[in-house]
Amino acid sequence: MAIQVDGQDAGDGPAAEQRDERDDAPAGDRANLIVTAVRLVLLPFVGVFTGLLIWYLVARFVIGDSRLLASPLEVVQHLQDNWGFYYRNTRTTAIRSGQGLVIGVGLAVSTSILVAVFTEIERLSLRVATTVFAIPTIALAPVVSIIFEDQKFVAFAAFAVYFVVFIALMVGLRSVDATVTDLIRALGGGRLRLLRKARIQAAVPSFFAGVRVAVPAAVINVVIIETLGAESGLGVGIIGAMSALDSTLAWGVGVMASAITLFGYGLNALLAKLIAPRFSAAADTA
Amino acid sequence: MATPVEAHEEGTGPVAEPASQPAETSPRREEFKDLVRRLFTEVGLVLISFVILVALWLVVIRIYDLHPFYARRPPDVFDYLFTDPEAAANRTLIFERVPATLRDMLIGYVAGTLVGLSLALGFYVSRTAKALVMPWVLIFQTIPILVFIALIVIWFGRGLLSVALISGLITFFPTLIYATAGLSSASKESCDLLRVYGASEWTILLRVRLIYSLRYVTAAAKIAVPGSLGGALLAELLATGEGVGYFITSYNILPRAYDVLWSSVGVIVVLASAIYTAVTMIEFWINGRFKIDSSVE
């Protein structure tokens, strides 16, 4: 039985994108347009809705015990009933994540520009950063707690954010086309001019991609530290849920944490839309 | 580094061959030399990173003026593990837990990679399935892994299954993303060649695309393997209580608590760097083996 792989040609080329080459249908083909619209818009909604439906049915009729698996409606109910608890702790975690994000991004931007100016240490610092990044952050949690005490939440988040954004920036700064570099050099430009004219611009998309990855990293790292010992924050809720075997609470915490992350994504996307165009326009200046 | 190998070749063997062997060496030898050279570079970079880390460690302790009760410096850790009168017992205390952590990590990585690859294949074969399921994958990515750890512990208890699920969850997403990119990346020429010989799309999928995606899977491993180590540690400290991760929260009930803590952290850091170096070397070797960078298969 042959499996239909939609009968299209294989594509080649760099697949840093996840673009499916089979989507390159000739434009103006009406039927194709409708099919694509269905796939890109309708099906995801159907998928999410079906998933929720399956969840509800399994929870209600297969499991039946709402401590074990609560249905989506019961989770919403739980959120409503305990809104004070959820709001307080979500706010704490969100503030800590936000502060960690800002500090981490700030540090990453400044150090990467520094390293970009002193190009000799570029490759080494990127490599050192990826090596340190390969160390599980959880292992450093107790050490960070000892060093920073009350600021440990923000410090831990900033730490994780820093590495993500720094690596993204370094990759971006190095991604300038060789022809552009040659051109600027030929026109008599040195490192700094190269930096201003070409590299920073090349780094911008990478930067926003890095921040996008850093948002959930900040949230989860704050929650991890909260789990290890805190008075408030969503991590405390997780520990409570685990010891009380209360899966509804766990889901509730998950929903709120997800909300923080989605909010962060939204902010990042907004900033990207506002800031990125300014940088691509700069290419035209002499 | 390459010199010892060359010297051995030109040296006096039992059969003194005339200079019929030109300066070229066989491809195998070249590969091996490349590997060794790369290994030295990697290890060198790791050592430099270590030096920087240790320097940072000392600087931080100095700057924050940490009380010696809580803080240990690198020499203190070295003492505890190697020169202390009870060093052997100290070493055992920590090192005997390492195999459990490695086991947990491996289970997670294998499980996560299998699921990630299967999903990537499934998504490639059926774009409808992808459109239906992918939104959920993305939604789950926004939920902190800790929530899933709590749910897994509540539903499945604290055994190996939970460990596999927890660290598998962390590793499956990068593998899925990279493998998806990899499956699309097969060269047109290779696929056309097989098609000319009458191969079905399914055969092409298995024989060509999977090989091309191998390069992406090994790249994913550089994120996924450290991730599965982190997942294993999390699972250990929250669920099972085995392995080195256990010390991360439970150090304070032991005698010489802070020695145990800082030494465990040191051991984990060394472990993580060694594993990362190993993964990088494997990636390098695989890329060489399959000669993926050349344009003609």
Side-chain angles (χ1 to χ4, degrees):
Chain A
M1 182 176 78
I3 296 199
Q4 270 298 69
V5 194
D6 290 31
Q8 303 255 344
D9 276 345
D12 63 334
E17 327 135 15
Q18 295 172 49
R19 215 175 43 99
D20 195 328
E21 71 289 339
R22 295 169 299 175
D23 286 332
D24 292 335
D29 189 356
R30 194 107 189 279
N32 241 316
L33 216 59
I34 295 182
V35 167
T36 318
V38 164
R39 193 183 301 122
L40 284 180
V41 178
L42 189 60
L43 284 184
F45 272 107
V46 171
V48 174
F49 180 75
T50 316
L52 285 172
L53 190 63
I54 294 176
W55 175 3
Y56 175 76
L57 292 173
V58 169
R60 189 85 190 283
F61 299 113
V62 175
I63 311 265
D65 175 359
S66 74
R67 276 197 100 79
L68 203 54
L69 175 66
S71 77
L73 295 176
E74 285 169 328
V75 174
V76 173
Q77 187 66 40
H78 196 261
L79 283 170
Q80 266 184 320
D81 293 341
N82 302 293
W83 182 245
F85 167 83
Y86 279 112
Y87 177 72
R88 264 197 324 270
N89 290 306
T90 307
R91 189 165 168 272
T92 308
T93 302
I95 292 180
R96 290 166 174 167
S97 313
Q99 288 173 336
L101 192 64
V102 168
I103 293 178
V105 166
L107 282 173
V109 169
S110 27
T111 49
S112 66
I113 292 202
L114 209 68
V115 168
V117 170
F118 298 103
T119 42
E120 290 81 8
I121 54 174
E122 233 184 80
R123 202 173 149 237
L124 178 65
S125 36
L126 180 59
R127 195 43 222 278
V128 169
T130 46
T131 307
V132 174
F133 190 54
I135 299 171
T137 43
I138 181 70
L140 303 171
V143 170
V144 171
S145 306
I146 291 176
I147 295 176
F148 288 97
E149 291 170 7
D150 287 333
Q151 266 86 38
K152 56 187 173 178
F153 309 102
V154 176
F156 204 59
F159 180 78
V161 166
Y162 171 81
F163 280 100
V164 170
V165 178
F166 179 76
I167 292 175
L169 271 172
M170 291 311 303
V171 169
L173 282 169
R174 304 177 85 202
S175 69
V176 182
D177 212 29
T179 43
V180 175
T181 314
D182 290 341
L183 180 64
I184 294 187
R185 285 258 162 74
L187 291 176
R191 275 181 209 172
L192 284 178
R193 178 154 289 178
L194 182 65
L195 192 65
R196 269 198 348 248
K197 295 291 174 192
R199 300 182 75 190
I200 290 188
Q201 198 177 312
V204 167
S206 214
F207 171 71
F208 285 109
V211 174
R212 190 181 182 280
V213 175
V215 167
V219 175
I220 182 167
N221 280 294
V222 169
V223 174
I224 286 179
I225 295 270
E226 287 170 348
T227 308
L228 296 181
E231 288 160 8
S232 62
L234 289 174
V236 175
I238 297 268
I239 292 292
M242 255 202 293
S243 32
L245 295 180
D246 186 356
S247 76
T248 317
L249 177 58
W251 278 116
V253 169
V255 167
M256 295 313 294
S258 178
I260 301 178
T261 308
L262 288 172
F263 178 71
Y265 280 166
L267 266 183
N268 181 48
L270 191 65
L271 278 172
K273 273 249 145 59
L274 288 176
I275 295 184
R278 283 185 56 213
F279 278 89
S280 44
D284 303 319
T285 58
Chain B
M1 300 154 234
T3 329
V5 180
E6 282 165 0
H8 184 77
E9 271 180 57
E10 296 166 13
T12 53
V15 179
E17 257 177 60
S20 58
Q21 277 288 6
E24 308 163 11
T25 51
S26 70
R28 267 286 154 88
R29 275 267 157 74
E30 278 303 318
E31 246 179 71
F32 184 68
K33 276 159 56 181
D34 277 337
L35 257 175
V36 171
R37 223 171 286 153
R38 185 62 187 254
L39 182 63
F40 272 89
T41 321
E42 291 293 324
V43 171
L45 285 170
V46 168
L47 286 177
I48 295 182
S49 312
F50 261 20
V51 168
I52 296 183
L53 266 179
V54 166
L56 262 174
W57 182 350
L58 288 167
V59 164
V60 164
I61 292 191
R62 177 65 61 84
I63 290 186
Y64 284 90
D65 203 16
L66 294 179
H67 197 281
F69 180 71
Y70 300 108
R72 295 287 180 275
R73 304 181 146 99
D76 301 323
V77 171
F78 186 80
D79 272 340
Y80 177 74
L81 288 175
F82 296 109
T83 60
D84 191 279
E86 285 167 27
N90 297 336
R91 276 201 300 275
T92 314
L93 179 67
I94 298 181
F95 290 175
E96 74 182 349
R97 288 184 167 259
V98 169
T101 302
L102 288 175
R103 172 204 68 195
D104 292 339
M105 179 189 94
L106 222 60
I107 294 179
Y109 177 68
V110 168
T113 305
L114 281 177
V115 172
L117 270 179
S118 321
L119 270 181
L121 270 174
F123 285 175
Y124 190 83
V125 163
S126 162
R127 284 179 293 169
T128 313
K130 180 177 183 179
L132 283 173
V133 177
M134 202 58 167
W136 278 107
V137 174
L138 293 173
I139 290 176
F140 283 151
Q141 280 308 110
T142 59
I143 300 178
I145 195 78
L146 275 173
V147 173
F148 292 113
I149 293 181
L151 288 170
I152 288 172
V153 167
I154 293 176
W155 292 335
F156 298 105
R158 295 168 183 266
L160 275 183
L161 174 62
S162 301
V163 171
L165 288 172
I166 292 170
S167 58
L169 250 175
I170 297 187
T171 63
F172 111 93
F173 191 66
T175 312
L176 174 63
I177 297 289
Y178 274 78
T180 306
L183 284 173
S184 316
S185 74
S187 89
K188 199 167 187 306
E189 292 85 16
S190 311
C191 296
D192 286 345
L193 186 65
L194 260 82
R195 237 176 247 123
V196 160
Y197 280 102
S200 69
E201 291 299 327
W202 188 229
T203 312
I204 296 184
L205 182 66
L206 289 178
R207 285 201 172 278
V208 179
R209 295 188 188 278
L210 266 184
I211 306 291
Y212 271 91
S213 65
L214 194 60
R215 169 161 159 245
Y216 287 82
V217 170
T218 48
K222 291 206 285 204
I223 302 178
V225 171
S228 66
L229 177 60
L233 290 173
L234 269 176
E236 284 163 7
L237 83 87
L238 286 172
T240 65
E242 300 186 324
V244 191
Y246 169 71
F247 287 136
I248 293 182
T249 40
S250 310
Y251 63 92
N252 45 20
I253 61 175
L254 297 166
R256 302 187 69 175
Y258 287 94
D259 284 309
V260 172
L261 172 65
W262 287 87
S263 307
S264 317
V265 172
V267 166
I268 293 176
V269 169
V270 170
L271 205 60
S273 310
I275 290 173
Y276 184 69
T277 307
V279 171
T280 316
M281 290 306 302
I282 293 179
E283 181 198 18
F284 185 69
W285 177 71
I286 287 189
N287 283 353
R289 213 91 255 273
F290 283 89
K291 295 186 176 48
I292 300 219
D293 291 318
S294 64
S295 51
V296 178
E297 195 49 75

